[in-house]
């Protein structure tokens, strides 16, 4: 059994992907070719967002978002300690300070009730993460942001395709940022990412920054990076997008089957999905009090599992300068100590899933 099955989809649509990529090889516009614009239009349409700007990765996407907002030395950006390092890394790369607020014990997303007290005069943005495929309470976060006139960036690297109150992730606030890393819900065949906004000025800045701050040929009024997504990846995404709605449905069904099968087991917590949310289950993650034992036991049965972010960001050596210690963010620490992700992908078979559930239940 594979932890994430990336091969089955290729077996299904590999022929179409080959035909699309062949077209790119023949027209030869490998950088910002027509497929890039085409996929941006489709992605914007899917999320309901006015603009989509594709970029080189989910990390560069966050970096470009912060650069477009003018964030730099001395600024503070509020985010969570339980996430992939990119979220806070980009803040520090720009000389700003990541300010952590703890996560909620139910959804493992930013605890919106702790947000307001973290705001200072230096706060320039709020960056919640839609962890494991589920959005945080964006209305509550947006309300606090509005009160202090702050932009919000949804780090939606794991939640493309999810919904919050019927609206699509990536189109819930000032900026949505996602990743097309292969194992993500909408993954391409290499690195890629995208920015979403309804703000014309921001969208224009994203486009400038992804080509070295170039506004027109050889004219660079602002700093930028080499942040473009390859035309080949855009062509691949165009084909994957055709099957994506079906994959989202499959993910949701698999998530529900896991949660039903693993309900009411002592020492084990299944993910809690808010009533007004749908999750794309980028990972199906449980909390296990005896995590190590469970992981070893699953390994004996040839069932792969992974503990993501088992050291939360405030305890990472690279952020030592922030002066945090164990106990500062107790919910993030508990989740980091107990989280265990089980095999998950739209093509996980019923039989394999039943084996995982049986193994844990017995
Ligand atoms: C929450 C989160 N943010 C950002 C990223 C960065 O995306 P990428 O790997 O495409 O740079 C990831 C992906 O690993 C992620 O999970």
């Amino acid at each position: 059994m594979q932890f994430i099955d990336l091969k089955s989809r290729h077996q299904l649509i590999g022929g179409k992907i080959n035909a699309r990529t062949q077209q790119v090889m023949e027209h030869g516009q490998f950088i910002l070719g027509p497929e890039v614009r085409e996929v941006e239009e489709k992605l914007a349409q899917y999320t309901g967002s006015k603009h989509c700007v594709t970029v080189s990765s989910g990390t560069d996407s966050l970096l470009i978002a912060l650069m477009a907002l003018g964030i730099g030395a001395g600024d503070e950006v509020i985010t969570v300690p339980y996430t992939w390092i990119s979220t806070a890394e980009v803040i520090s790369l720009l000389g700003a300070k990541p300010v952590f607020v703890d996560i909620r014990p139910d959804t493992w997303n930013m605890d919106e009730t702790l947000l307001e007290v973290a705001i200072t005069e230096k706060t320039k943005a709020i960056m919640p993460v839609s962890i494991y495929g589920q959005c945080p309470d964006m209305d509550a976060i947006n309300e606090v942001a509005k009160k202090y006139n702050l932009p919000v960036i949804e780090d939606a690297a794991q939640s493309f395709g999810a919904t919050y109150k019927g609206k699509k992730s990536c189109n819930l606030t000032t900026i949505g940022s996602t990743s097309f890393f292969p194992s993500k819900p909408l993954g391409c065949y290499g690195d890629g990412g995208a920015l979403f906004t309804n703000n014309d000025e921001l969208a224009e800045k994203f486009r400038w920054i992804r080509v070295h701050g170039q506004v027109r040929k050889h004219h660079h009024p602002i700093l930028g990076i080499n942040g473009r997504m390859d035309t080949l990846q855009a062509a691949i995404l165009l084909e994957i997008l055709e099957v994506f709605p079906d994959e989202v449905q499959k993910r949701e069904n698999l998530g529900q089957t896991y949660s039903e099968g693993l309900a009411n087991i002592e020492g084990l917590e299944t993910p809690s999905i808010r009533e007004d949310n749908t999750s794309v289950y980028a990972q199906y993650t449980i909390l296990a009090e005896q995590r190590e034992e469970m992981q070893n036991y699953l390994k004996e049965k040839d069932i792969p599992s992974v503990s993501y972010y088992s050291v939360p960001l405030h305890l990472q050596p690279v952020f030592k300068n922030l002066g945090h210690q164990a106990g500062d963010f107790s919910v993030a620490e508990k989740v980091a100590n107990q989280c265990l992700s089980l095999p998950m992908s739209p093509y996980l078979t019923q039989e394999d899933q039943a084996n995982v559930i049986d193994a844990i239940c017995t």
Side-chain angles (χ1 to χ4, degrees):
M1 187 184 320
Q2 294 169 70
F3 182 65
I4 296 177
D5 172 9
L6 294 176
K7 288 184 191 154
S8 294
R9 184 212 280 138
H10 191 73
Q11 278 163 7
L12 196 69
I13 60 167
K16 289 180 175 171
I17 287 181
N18 289 344
R20 271 275 186 173
T21 52
Q22 188 62 34
Q23 280 173 17
V24 176
M25 289 189 233
E26 280 164 19
H27 70 53
Q29 295 176 61
F30 300 120
I31 304 292
L32 297 182
E35 288 79 3
V36 172
R37 185 54 94 162
E38 192 182 338
V39 83
E40 287 175 349
E41 276 164 18
K42 293 242 163 82
L43 291 166
Q45 209 173 31
Y46 181 87
T47 59
S49 194
K50 188 170 177 194
H51 302 283
C52 168
V53 179
T54 54
V55 292
S56 40
S57 71
T59 306
D60 288 340
S61 182
L62 295 171
L63 183 68
I64 292 172
L66 294 176
M67 288 171 81
L69 293 170
I71 283 155
D75 295 338
E76 292 179 356
V77 178
I78 299 176
T79 189
V80 285
Y82 186 72
T83 176
W84 171 237
I85 186 122
S86 302
T87 318
E89 180 183 47
V90 291
I91 301 169
S92 294
L93 277 173
L94 291 173
K97 179 182 169 188
V99 173
F100 298 120
V101 299
D102 211 349
I103 55 171
R104 290 180 58 98
D106 49 3
T107 60
W108 315 329
N109 273 321
M110 179 180 276
D111 187 338
E112 65 283 354
T113 64
L114 304 175
L115 176 57
E116 194 162 357
V117 292
I119 294 175
T120 72
E121 279 180 357
K122 293 181 180 170
T123 308
K124 290 289 161 5
I126 303 166
M127 195 146 71
V129 178
S130 298
I131 204 80
Y132 296 140
Q134 171 175 216
C135 303
D137 188 349
M138 290 304 290
D139 278 356
I141 293 169
N142 284 333
E143 205 177 299
V144 176
K146 198 173 164 199
K147 184 169 166 192
Y148 293 89
N149 199 21
L150 293 168
V152 180
I153 303 160
E154 182 201 3
D155 182 350
Q158 304 184 10
S159 61
F160 190 87
T163 60
Y164 168 80
K165 299 189 178 172
K167 269 185 94 177
K168 289 262 167 46
S169 173
C170 293
N171 184 27
L172 302 174
T173 193
T174 326
I175 299 172
S177 165
T178 199
S179 162
F180 302 130
F181 186 81
S183 60
K184 296 292 190 240
L186 181 62
C188 61
Y189 284 15
D191 278 311
L195 287 147
F196 297 84
T197 187
N198 293 312
N199 180 310
D200 298 346
E201 260 175 59
L202 280 175
E204 193 167 46
K205 276 198 183 155
F206 298 158
R207 291 189 190 284
W208 295 343
I209 294 170
R210 84 170 166 185
V211 281
H212 308 282
Q214 181 173 256
V215 173
R216 56 177 196 277
K217 210 156 182 76
H218 302 146
H219 185 69
H220 305 258
I222 57 169
L223 280 179
I225 60 171
N226 177 349
R228 301 165 297 229
M229 184 167 79
D230 291 351
T231 311
L232 277 168
Q233 297 304 339
I236 291 164
L237 271 186
L238 278 166
E239 286 308 326
I240 296 176
L241 261 177
E242 295 293 315
V243 291
F244 186 68
D246 180 53
E247 292 189 355
V248 169
Q249 192 56 56
K250 287 192 164 92
R251 283 180 177 278
E252 213 181 323
N253 296 344
L254 286 160
Q256 276 164 12
T257 305
Y258 262 138
S259 290
E260 281 158 21
L262 299 175
N264 306 319
I265 298 177
E266 217 186 300
L268 193 150
E269 224 179 282
T270 56
S272 152
I273 308 301
R274 287 169 52 102
E275 250 182 35
D276 45 15
N277 268 354
T278 59
S279 175
V280 278
Y281 294 99
Q283 305 293 339
Y284 185 86
T285 305
I286 55 172
L287 300 190
E289 279 174 17
Q290 311 288 325
R291 180 178 62 192
E292 215 177 306
E293 288 84 339
M294 179 170 290
Q295 194 158 20
N296 290 337
Y297 164 78
L298 290 174
K299 201 172 171 188
E300 275 167 28
K301 295 190 171 270
D302 277 333
I303 297 173
S305 63
V306 178
S307 298
Y308 286 101
Y309 326 128
S310 52
V311 179
L313 296 190
H314 65 288
L315 300 179
Q316 289 288 351
V318 70
F319 292 126
K320 213 174 159 194
N321 62 320
L322 297 174
H324 291 299
Q325 54 197 20
D328 281 359
F329 302 102
S330 57
V331 184
E333 287 166 33
K334 178 194 161 190
V335 175
N337 283 331
Q338 298 189 1
C339 63
L340 191 65
S341 298
L342 304 176
M344 176 53 131
S345 63
Y347 303 96
L348 179 68
T349 62
Q350 273 181 358
E351 195 191 345
D352 280 347
Q353 187 179 36
N355 283 339
V356 180
I357 295 171
D358 282 352
I360 293 174
C361 288
T362 49

